[in-house]
Amino acid sequence: MLICMKPIDPFYDPKFWRGRAEATRTKAVSFAEGKSRDRLLKIAEEYEKLARRAEEWPTLKEDGDAEP
């Protein structure tokens, strides 16, 4: 009997988004003050929001409030 398992989607993993945020902040440090650095830091903030959302998603699914 062959059992197929669906791989875990990284988009629902807060670690995935926090890793992206950290990598983006690291990249931002390489830029001098300016628009590019500011934009990268803003993107890192958005990744952190996605990480928080990914933490909430399993709770919302159990409550029946959200679907993937």
Side-chain angles (χ1 to χ4, degrees):
M1 175 182 217
L2 179 63
I3 299 175
C4 296
M5 295 178 57
K6 182 180 175 184
I8 296 173
D9 192 345
F11 295 117
Y12 297 110
D13 183 2
K15 292 177 191 175
F16 172 80
W17 296 112
R18 289 212 169 86
R20 301 279 305 226
E22 184 60 30
T24 304
R25 280 191 291 272
T26 300
K27 182 71 172 178
V29 171
S30 70
F31 287 93
E33 295 292 324
K35 288 183 182 180
S36 296
R37 182 180 180 138
D38 293 343
R39 286 180 182 157
L40 286 171
L41 292 174
K42 179 65 177 168
I43 290 168
E45 289 176 25
E46 295 300 318
Y47 283 145
E48 287 293 341
K49 288 179 186 178
L50 287 168
R52 287 191 296 275
R53 181 67 179 113
E55 288 173 337
E56 294 172 0
W57 181 79
T59 303
L60 292 175
K61 186 176 179 193
E62 289 170 6
D63 294 342
D65 293 340
E67 290 294 322

